[in-house]
Amino acid sequence: MTGSSETTGASRAIVIDRPGAYRLVLGPRPEPGPGEVLVRVGAAGVCMSDREVYDGHRDAAYVRYPVTPGHEWSGTVVAVGEGVDPALAGRKTVAEGFRACGVCERCRCGETSLCGGGYAETGFTEPGAFADHLTVPARLLHPLRDDADLRAAALLEPAAVIAAAVRAGRPRPGERIAVVGAGTLGLLAVQLLAASSPAELTVIDPRAARGEQALAFGAGQSLSPADAEALDGRFDLVVETAGAPSTAASSCLLARRGGRVVLTGMFTPGATGIDPVHLSLSQLEIRSVFGAPSSAWSDAVRAFGLGLLDPAPLITHEFPLERFGDAIALVGGGDPKTGKVLLRP
């Protein structure tokens, strides 16, 4: 159906009108405005944030209904708007999700994920990639190699988040590193951290199968949370990716005195807090990551192009747009065999 939409000038999109209610809409193909490009979507990942939008659990400040979701995606530029380099047409690409203003103090300092110009993000407040086409500002593009696998490239958004976490964590060769959680973020973290030549790289997750996959990606050992308690105080760097109620606190316990902890999981209200006494006595350095600045996107795209990052093995399911309901049901459904779910327009 994607081919027919190209021919007729029509385009399909999933629209969530309100929590629990969605439609597959056929309408005119979008046109890129000044400074924009039109992208034909190659693949779009479905993540828990999309499930939250569908269920109505996302903070109201971070979503605008009706909305076409889809913030993890890759595609090919098929048209450019006024003022955009025509050479971009035909290029495979990904793009940053945050529509940073580029002129506020934080943007001028390079911290585009902390933009003070107001929150705007593809797939949450702006039309996303659960569609045949989407338009995005050309300044947000990160073009890919001509031979890039668009299926795998759809995971470069979570990879950019992890690249931001790695930047914040500053891994050094020979350090002992732990990754808490072996979901999509955790397994991508293993790949990037393995490239830093750690002395130890330990993954902590209750799911044995995910632990085995982490070993294949470069981890030295995989432990359950219970077994990992024996290693409290051991690690120079702990990268938390799970967002489970207890993992912020337990990650701080795993770090050595003077160690570094980076929190990337999305926690919900009621999560266990970090003990301030332990924090002060251990002199820990703690950072949190929400989204990714432009620099982290560049890191992720470069690592992908060099083969240091291979997200393709994380993909377990692919659906056409017509089966959005099946795709969203899988995400967060609790099946340990479900990895990354893609929509393929």
Side-chain angles (χ1 to χ4, degrees):
M1 292 184 69
T2 302
S4 62
S5 69
E6 289 292 323
T7 303
T8 63
S11 188
R12 302 167 304 157
I14 296 293
V15 176
I16 298 178
D17 292 302
R18 59 186 183 279
Y22 76 91
R23 298 173 289 141
L24 178 60
V25 176
L26 178 65
R29 195 176 79 167
E31 295 294 333
E36 293 184 334
V37 298
L38 176 70
V39 176
R40 182 178 66 246
V41 179
V46 186
C47 87
M48 275 302 297
S49 295
D50 301 309
R51 179 66 186 261
E52 290 172 0
V53 169
Y54 178 72
D55 289 341
H57 295 160
R58 188 169 175 84
D59 189 308
Y62 295 96
V63 64
R64 304 283 188 275
Y65 297 102
V67 64
T68 294
H71 60 285
E72 302 178 4
W73 61 269
S74 63
T76 304
V77 177
V78 293
V80 302
E82 180 184 350
V84 177
D85 185 356
L88 284 172
R91 291 294 303 274
K92 293 180 178 179
T93 193
V94 292
E96 298 171 34
F98 286 131
R99 306 288 182 97
C101 73
V103 297
C104 71
E105 181 180 6
R106 295 274 57 84
C107 283
R108 299 284 287 180
C109 289
E111 298 174 331
T112 52
S113 59
L114 296 175
C115 175
Y119 172 70
E121 185 175 4
T122 300
F124 297 105
T125 66
E126 311 295 327
F130 291 175
D132 289 325
H133 303 87
L134 81 160
T135 58
V136 291
R139 60 186 172 79
L140 300 180
L141 294 183
H142 289 265
L144 305 173
R145 291 167 46 133
D146 291 342
D147 61 352
D149 175 4
L150 289 180
R151 293 172 60 258
L155 277 72
L156 283 175
E157 192 276 342
V161 174
I162 286 302
V166 171
R167 274 182 165 248
R170 307 184 312 281
R172 306 178 184 100
E175 287 194 317
R176 296 184 295 268
I177 301 176
V179 175
V180 178
T184 298
L185 290 178
L187 293 173
L188 291 170
V190 168
Q191 293 191 26
L192 286 182
L193 289 167
S196 70
S197 301
E200 298 177 16
L201 183 53
T202 299
V203 171
I204 300 165
D205 195 286
R207 300 165 292 185
R210 291 300 183 95
E212 291 174 6
Q213 195 168 16
L215 296 177
F217 284 170
Q221 67 175 338
S222 171
L223 300 173
S224 70
D227 291 339
E229 290 179 4
L231 300 182
D232 281 356
R234 179 173 181 79
F235 297 100
D236 301 291
L237 171 63
V238 181
V239 178
E240 188 282 330
T241 68
S246 63
T247 51
S250 63
S251 294
C252 292
L253 296 177
L254 287 166
R256 66 164 173 82
R257 294 191 69 202
R260 309 181 304 282
V261 179
V262 183
L263 306 175
T264 68
M266 293 299 293
F267 299 97
T268 57
T272 303
I274 297 170
D275 180 1
V277 175
H278 174 76
L279 179 61
S280 59
L281 294 178
S282 297
Q283 300 182 62
L284 298 181
E285 179 183 332
I286 300 179
R287 284 286 307 275
S288 61
V289 168
F290 176 68
S294 298
S295 56
W297 272 91
S298 295
D299 286 351
V301 170
R302 280 196 297 265
F304 179 62
L306 291 170
L308 297 174
L309 189 64
D310 180 17
L314 302 181
I315 301 166
T316 59
H317 296 79
E318 300 179 46
F319 295 97
L321 282 180
E322 296 90 339
R323 294 185 61 190
F324 167 77
D326 295 327
I328 203 73
L330 273 177
V331 175
D335 186 345
K337 295 180 181 179
T338 300
K340 175 52 64 175
V341 177
L342 295 183
L343 288 177
R344 299 292 304 277

